[in-house]
Amino acid sequence: MRVLMSAYQCGPGMGSVSQIGWEWYRRMRERASVTLVTHERNREALEAAGADGDVMFIDTEWFAGPLYGFASKLFPRSQHSVFLVSSLDYFVFDAAAVRAVRKRQRAGDRWDVVHAPTPVSSLASTRLFRSGLPVVLGPLNSGVEEPRGFPEIMKADSGWTSRFRAPAAWIGALRGTLARSALILSATRATDRTLPTSCRDKVRRVLENGVETDRFRPSEREEASQARPLRITFVGRLVPFKGVGMLLDAVGRLVRRREVEVRIVGDGPMMEEWRSAADSLQIAERVHFLGNVALDEVSQHMAWCDVFCLPSVRESGGAVLLEAMAMERPVIALDHGGPGELVDDEVGRLLPAESHEQVVTDLARTFDEICGAPGDWAEKGLRGAVRVAERYSWDAKVSEVLGMLEELAVEGASLQTRRSDRDLLLPTDR
C-alpha cells in the first residue's frame, strides 16, 4: 500500500506533537510504502534519525520565522499562545504541499490514501483531498475547554487567546476538509464535540499518542516506606497551565508531617518563578529542577519515583501519564481534558479541577494516603502497566490504523475500476 503522509510536525526529540508525527512515520514505513510531506524545519532531525526514504520538504520559513518571532515577543510567558499564533503558518504550508503533491501526480506518481497525523487539531486540517485520494485525519485531539476555577493560571497563560479558536473553526469549515475526509480519528470526547454532526458517522476513536514500550517498560522499584522520603516526579514544559505551582504548595504542606522529595523534569518560562516559590515555601532542598533531559533520562526519573504527578489544568492528551503507567508507576492527574479519559482509581487518582485551593488540598491528602498505604499504590502501578500494554502501545495503534487505511485503499481502487469500466462503454451501451 502506498501512503501519502502529511505531517507538518514530525521529528524525534522536537516536542510532543513532532514526536507523534515521527512515531507514525517511522512505524508506518516499516509496513507500507510511505511518502512523507513535512516542513523544511524538520529536515535536520529527520535525516539525523535516518529518514532516507521519499520525503517532500516544504519550506515556508519566509512566513513562519517572522510570525514566531512576533508571537514570542507578544506572549513571552505563554508557549500555548505562541503556538496558537504560530500555527497560522500551517495553512501556508498546506497550500504549498497541495501544489507539490499535484505536481508529482501529473508527473506520474501515485498513492492509495492520504494520512494526516499532525497537526492534531481539527482547526488545522489538510486540503489534500484535492489530490483525489481518500483522506484520513488524525488522530485529532482538540476542543479542551478553558478551566473556570483557575483564573490566575489562565491570566498568566494568556488564556484570552483561546477566543481565536472560533474564527479558526470557521476557516476550517470553509476549507471543507472535515466534510470531504474519508475517516476522522478522534482521541477524546472533547474532540468529538468540535466535529460537525454531519461527520459523526465517519469518526473512529483512536488516541493520538502511544507509548514506546521498549523505552518505557516496567522497572524495579524500591518499596515506599516511612523510612525514606516519598518520591514524586513531574515531567513537562514549565508553563503556567501545567500547575507545578500547586504541586509545590501541596509539598509545602506535606513536609510539615512527611519526608518528601520531588524531581521537576522540563524547562520553560516559569522555571525561575517556581524556583523562587520553592524557596519561599522553604522546600528548595527537597525540590530538584532538572531542566530538559534526553528521552532515555526521562524514563530513569520516572523509574525513581513512587508516584507520577501531572497537575495540569488544561491537558489535551497526557502522554507522560501513559509513559509512567507503562513503567508500573501510579499516576495523579486532574479531571479536565485528556487525563480524565486515562486515569481512574484503578491506576492512580483523578482529582477534581475546581480551584487552586481544592487541588492543593487534594494533592497533599493523596500524598499522605500513598505514604500510609504504599502497597495499595504499588498495585495501582501494576494495573496501569497492563492497561498500557493492552490499549496504548504504538504497535497496537499502528496496526489498528493501518487496517483502516488498507480498507480505504481497497475501496478507492474498486471505485476507480468502476469508473474506468464506465468510461470504456460505447455511447450506445450507456
Side-chain angles (χ1 to χ4, degrees):
M1 186 175 61
R2 300 161 298 179
V3 179
L4 180 65
M5 179 175 290
S6 176
Y8 175 70
Q9 294 135 303
C10 183
M14 297 178 63
S16 57
V17 178
S18 293
Q19 189 69 33
I20 289 172
W22 166 249
E23 294 295 344
W24 280 110
Y25 169 62
R26 80 177 181 94
R27 293 172 187 275
M28 194 74 79
R29 68 180 291 209
E30 294 174 354
R31 302 166 64 175
S33 174
V34 179
T35 296
L36 175 65
V37 185
T38 191
H39 200 281
E40 174 66 28
R41 73 173 67 95
N42 304 324
R43 182 190 291 269
E44 183 177 353
L46 287 171
E47 291 181 348
D52 55 357
D54 186 6
V55 182
M56 300 170 61
F57 291 103
I58 307 298
D59 190 354
T60 64
E61 278 303 306
W62 58 269
F63 180 74
L67 183 65
Y68 179 82
F70 167 75
S72 297
K73 292 180 180 178
L74 191 61
F75 307 107
R77 299 178 61 193
S78 175
Q79 291 185 1
H80 178 69
S81 298
V82 171
F83 171 77
L84 282 178
V85 175
S86 301
S87 294
L88 292 173
D89 174 62
Y90 172 74
F91 299 104
V92 180
F93 162 86
D94 188 58
V98 171
R99 291 193 297 270
V101 167
R102 295 188 71 183
K103 181 179 180 179
R104 285 190 52 168
Q105 286 180 309
R106 290 192 294 270
D109 289 339
R110 295 290 180 266
W111 298 278
D112 300 308
V113 63
V114 174
H115 179 209
T118 74
V120 298
S121 172
S122 59
L123 304 182
S125 47
T126 180
R127 283 175 62 83
L128 278 171
F129 60 79
R130 297 183 63 189
S131 65
L133 301 171
V135 174
V136 176
L137 297 177
L140 305 177
N141 190 348
S142 59
V144 176
E145 297 178 352
E146 299 301 315
R148 298 180 180 179
F150 305 88
E152 70 289 347
I153 291 179
M154 299 318 299
K155 181 180 180 180
D157 204 44
S158 302
W160 60 271
T161 56
S162 62
R163 298 172 186 172
F164 292 120
R165 290 177 179 172
W170 302 335
I171 294 173
L174 291 174
R175 285 164 62 85
T177 298
L178 294 174
R180 300 192 190 191
S181 61
L183 276 180
I184 302 172
L185 310 180
S186 173
T188 63
R189 293 186 296 271
T191 307
D192 293 347
R193 291 192 290 268
T194 69
L195 304 174
T197 55
S198 58
C199 298
R200 299 292 168 82
D201 61 335
K202 52 188 175 184
V203 173
R204 305 290 184 272
R205 172 70 76 247
V206 180
L207 195 70
E208 93 282 9
N209 236 311
V211 178
E212 206 171 342
T213 52
D214 53 345
R215 173 176 284 128
F216 299 96
R217 57 183 183 273
S219 62
E220 293 184 8
R221 59 184 298 161
E222 181 182 345
E223 186 71 24
S225 69
Q226 299 285 354
R228 65 163 177 81
L230 175 69
R231 298 171 179 172
I232 305 167
T233 293
F234 164 91
V235 176
R237 291 177 296 149
L238 301 191
V239 292
F241 74 84
K242 290 293 184 177
V244 172
M246 296 186 291
L247 171 58
L248 297 178
D249 285 346
V251 171
R253 297 184 186 182
L254 188 67
V255 295
R256 302 169 189 171
R257 54 190 180 275
R258 303 278 189 185
E259 289 293 316
V260 61
E261 190 173 357
V262 183
R263 290 184 180 181
I264 307 293
V265 180
D267 202 351
M270 295 296 292
M271 169 77 85
E272 292 308 315
E273 184 170 326
W274 281 333
R275 280 185 184 274
S276 297
D279 285 335
S280 299
L281 292 165
Q282 299 182 347
I283 57 173
E285 73 281 2
R286 303 171 185 269
V287 180
H288 309 285
F289 289 87
L290 304 179
N292 287 330
V293 303
L295 281 176
D296 289 336
E297 292 183 52
V298 171
S299 61
Q300 294 173 22
H301 294 303
M302 287 182 172
W304 168 84
C305 74
D306 299 309
V307 63
F308 182 87
C309 183
L310 180 68
S312 176
V313 301
R314 187 185 59 205
E315 197 75 20
S316 58
V320 289
L321 293 168
L322 296 177
E323 291 165 354
M325 288 163 60
M327 301 193 69
E328 297 183 345
R329 298 308 184 260
V331 294
I332 301 173
L334 304 189
D335 190 7
H336 188 81
E341 302 190 33
L342 301 177
V343 181
D344 53 31
D345 283 347
E346 289 291 309
V347 300
R349 182 63 49 79
L350 190 65
L351 303 177
E354 298 171 356
S355 69
H356 183 110
E357 175 60 26
Q358 168 264 313
V359 171
V360 171
T361 300
D362 285 352
L363 282 174
R365 183 183 298 119
T366 304
F367 295 149
D368 265 330
E369 179 184 325
I370 298 171
C371 293
D376 292 345
W377 279 79
E379 286 295 323
K380 292 177 185 289
L382 296 175
R383 291 194 292 267
V386 172
R387 181 177 298 183
V388 167
E390 293 176 348
R391 305 181 191 177
Y392 302 122
S393 73
W394 270 112
D395 287 341
K397 190 181 309 296
V398 170
S399 294
E400 179 183 10
V401 173
L402 192 61
M404 298 178 188
L405 298 183
E406 289 172 343
E407 288 182 13
L408 287 175
V410 171
E411 292 173 5
S414 177
L415 177 61
Q416 187 63 41
T417 299
R418 291 197 298 271
R419 286 174 176 170
S420 298
D421 291 344
R422 182 191 63 192
D423 292 341
L424 289 172
L425 291 175
L426 294 173
T428 54
D429 296 328
R430 293 182 178 174

